Structure formats: C-alpha cells, structure tokens
C-alpha cells in the first residue's frame, strides 16, 4: 500500500523479480532488477512513482529519478505486456504485446 502524500489516494502495486543484472560500467546503480509489475489500482504514474519512492527508479525515467538515459536504452524502460479489459459488449478482452525491439536490445546488452 502506498500513498504519495497525506491527502493522496492509496495505491497498490504487486512486483515479481524476473532477473537481476550487475553492471560492469562505473555507473549508479550498479545492479538493475527486471520486474513483472501489476498495478492493483489505477493511479496516474503509479508504477513509476512506487519504484521511485523506494529509491529504484525505472531505467531512463527522467521525471522520477534518472539523471540521464544510458547509451544502451534511450527510452523509458516500461512496457505493458498484457492488458485485461471488458469489451463494449461486456465480454472479456485480453490484449498482449511483445517487448519492443529497443527494449529487447537493452536486455541483450545486460546479457539476459
């Protein structure tokens, strides 16, 4: 459970660690974690804010803690893999999207 301010709305996010990577480069942080994240509530920037509040911002997140983007990932490393909705007719709808090439390339750089 997380609240961004005293008068802010509560938000919940579940995290699963998929992998960790040690960087050989002299950059901070020296260890990166690849996560599966599931927001249990739907707040604006919820994932970004929750991670930044623990001192572990997303790679490339210039708004929530990163001072710059690494050469191997020139975008925010955030991707929606699966989205469950209800269609207008009320039937469940499952949408899935593969990891984009630029993020797969970033993982390859980290030797995934």
């Amino acid at each position: 459970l997380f609240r961004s301010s005293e008068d802010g709305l509560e938000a919940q996010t579940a995290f699963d660690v998929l992998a960790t990577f040690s960087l050989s480069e002299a950059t901070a942080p020296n260890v990166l974690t690849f996560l599966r994240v599931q927001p249990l509530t739907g707040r604006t920037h919820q994932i970004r804010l929750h991670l930044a509040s623990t001192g572990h911002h997303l790679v490339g997140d210039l708004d929530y803690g990163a001072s710059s983007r690494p050469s191997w990932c020139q975008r925010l490393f955030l991707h929606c893999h699966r989205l469950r909705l209800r269609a207008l007719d009320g039937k469940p709808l499952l949408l899935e999207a593969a990891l984009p090439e630029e993020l797969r390339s970033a993982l390859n750089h980290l030797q995934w």
Side-chain angles (χ1 to χ4, degrees):
L1 189 63
F2 178 82
R3 187 174 291 166
S4 61
S5 66
E6 284 297 315
D7 55 342
L9 298 172
E10 292 179 348
Q12 291 181 305
T13 305
F15 301 88
D16 291 317
V17 174
L18 301 179
T20 57
F21 304 96
S22 294
L23 296 178
S24 58
E25 303 142 11
T27 59
N30 292 342
V31 176
L32 299 175
T33 306
F34 187 52
L35 301 171
R36 175 183 298 127
V37 180
Q38 181 179 4
L40 303 174
T41 51
R43 307 287 181 237
T44 302
H45 296 211
Q46 178 174 323
I47 294 168
R48 297 168 70 190
L49 185 58
H50 280 188
L51 289 171
S53 73
T54 67
H56 304 286
H57 60 79
L58 292 167
V59 167
D61 195 344
L62 302 177
D63 292 333
Y64 285 93
S67 57
S68 63
R69 293 193 170 125
S71 61
W72 47 267
C73 187
Q74 288 297 300
R75 61 162 274 188
L76 176 66
F77 200 119
L78 181 63
H79 173 70
C80 180
H81 169 69
R82 182 177 297 129
L83 186 61
R84 290 187 185 118
L85 305 167
R86 290 220 176 267
L88 294 175
D89 62 6
K91 294 179 182 174
L93 180 62
L94 177 64
L95 305 169
E96 293 185 335
L99 198 63
E101 175 56 36
E102 65 268 20
L103 297 183
R104 285 195 313 269
S105 177
L107 287 177
N108 287 338
H109 173 83
L110 297 171
Q111 299 179 4
W112 167 263

